Amino acid sequence: MPQAIRCVLMRGGTSKAVFLRENDIPADPGGRLRTILSIFGSPDRRQIDGLGGADPLTSKLAIIGPPREDDLRAAGTHLTYTFGQVEIDHPQVDWLSLCGNISSAVGAFAIEEGMVAADEPLTIVRVFNTNLNRVLTIEVPVLEGRPAEHGDYEVAGVPGTGARILVDFADTAGGATGALLPTGNVVDRLDVPGVGAVDVSLVDIGNAHVFIRAADMGLTGTESAAEIDAQTELRQRLELIRGAAAARMRMIADASRSRQDSPATPILGLVAPPADYLNHLTGETVPADAIDLLARLQFMQQTHKTYAGTSTVCTGVAARIPGTLVHAAARQRGGAEIRIGHPGGVIETETLVEAGPDGPVVRRATLGRTARRILEGRVFIPDPAAAGA
C-alpha cells in the first residue's frame, strides 16, 4: 500500500513550495531523502511523477516543526523551519540555503495550522531557521482570525495583488559563513582558472552571495534570463566564479565541485548602474529613475526569472556598505529603501546598516512579499516493494 502524507502547497512571493510537518516524514536522512524525492518526482527533468514544477522556483520544500527548547538561539520562537531546494534532475536536496520567498509563507502557514495564535490586525511570528541557525521575524496581516490574502501590495512576477507580509532577515547576517563580510573585505580579487582575475564582493546575509560587475562579463545588466541562459560559455564561466567564491568563503573545499557540493549557494549576482530596460514578463519599459541598480542572478545554474528574496535583502545590505561593487553600482538616494531592477520588474527592500567596531552591523533587512495557500491534502508515496525496489 502506498504511504499517504499530509501536505500543503503554498505560494510565497515568486516561488512555490510543498509544506510538510516534521513529524510526518522519516527522521533518518536516507528515508527522508527518498520520501522527498518521491513527493517531488525527482530526479526527472519534468518531475512528471510528483508535485515538482520542473523549475527551481517551484521545486522547493518547507519542513515545519515545533519550537526547539534545547537551543538558546531558538529561545522565544514559535516553530522551526527547514528549507530544502529539491534538485530536479539529480537525486539530492540542498539544505545549505534559505529561500526568502518561501520564508514569507511560513508565518501564514503557522497561523492557519494553529501553531501560532492569530492576533489582528498583525501577528508577529518568530521562526527558528535550521539552515542558518538564525531567527526570522515575520509580520503577517490577519483578518477574522486567518492570514489575510487580499490586499493592494504588488510583487513583480506574481499576478494581481495581495496582503503584504514583511520578513526581517537582520539576524541571518553571517549565518552561512560566520560573518557578514566572510573575508573581511568589501572587494576580493579571485584568480579563477578558465576565467582569469575577477573582482568580487562576498556578502552573507539571508544566503551567502558573490557579486560581480555585469560589465566584466560583457553584459549590460539589462538582459533577460533567456538571453543569459542562451550563452552556454558565459554560464560555465559564471559557475567557475561561483565555485571559486564558495571556496574562498570556505563553504566548500574544492572549487571544481561547486555543482555537486553546494549547487544553490553562494548565489551569484551581476550588478550594474540604473538604466532603462524591458520587463521581460510584461513587455513594458522600466525607467532608470524607478530603480537604484540593475541586478541579474544565477541560481541553481540558471538565470533567475525574477529575483530571489534572500538576494533582495543581501543586495540591499551590500548597497549600504561603502566600497562593495554593489554600493558602487547603486544610486545613493538616502533613506532606507533600495529598489532593484530585475528581469521581471522591480523589488525593494528596507535596510539599515551601521558602522560597528568590527565592521558593518545590520539592524534591519526586510523583504515584502505576499503568500497564498493553494492546496492541502495527502501526497502518496509509492510502495517500494510493489515497485520491485
Side-chain angles (χ1 to χ4, degrees), residues 222-279:
T222 62
E223 291 83 3
S224 69
E227 287 171 333
I228 296 174
D229 285 346
Q231 302 182 56
T232 303
E233 183 180 352
L234 171 62
R235 289 172 60 191
Q236 292 171 345
R237 292 168 65 204
L238 293 175
E239 182 59 24
L240 290 172
I241 295 170
R242 196 185 73 84
R248 178 66 63 89
M249 289 188 278
R250 299 183 179 180
M251 298 177 67
I252 59 176
D254 183 350
S256 68
R257 286 187 53 82
S258 59
R259 177 65 183 78
Q260 294 85 359
D261 295 344
S262 188
T265 55
I267 297 173
L268 185 145
L270 298 142
V271 296
D276 294 352
Y277 73 98
L278 191 67
N279 179 327

Side-chain angles (χ1 to χ4, degrees), residues 89-163:
D89 48 8
H90 295 275
Q92 65 188 82
V93 179
D94 189 300
W95 303 107
L96 301 178
S97 61
L98 174 63
C99 177
N101 278 291
I102 296 307
S103 297
S104 69
V106 170
F109 174 87
I111 295 170
E112 189 76 42
E113 295 284 311
M115 302 178 74
V116 180
D119 186 14
E120 296 188 34
L122 197 68
T123 299
I124 307 298
V125 183
R126 286 176 51 79
V127 175
F128 182 69
N129 172 250
T130 66
N131 303 90
L132 301 179
N133 291 324
R134 300 298 174 92
V135 176
L136 308 176
T137 302
I138 308 175
E139 301 177 6
V140 184
V142 172
L143 180 64
E144 297 180 353
R146 299 186 64 184
E149 293 186 350
H150 300 290
D152 58 5
Y153 190 71
E154 295 185 25
V155 174
V158 179
T161 61

Side-chain angles (χ1 to χ4, degrees), residues 22 65-82 128-130 133:
E22 186 176 73
R68 291 191 175 178
E69 300 179 355
D70 59 347
D71 193 323
L72 291 178
R73 289 201 65 94
T77 56
H78 297 101
L79 62 136
T80 61
Y81 154 49
T82 300
F128 182 69
N129 172 250
T130 66
N133 291 324

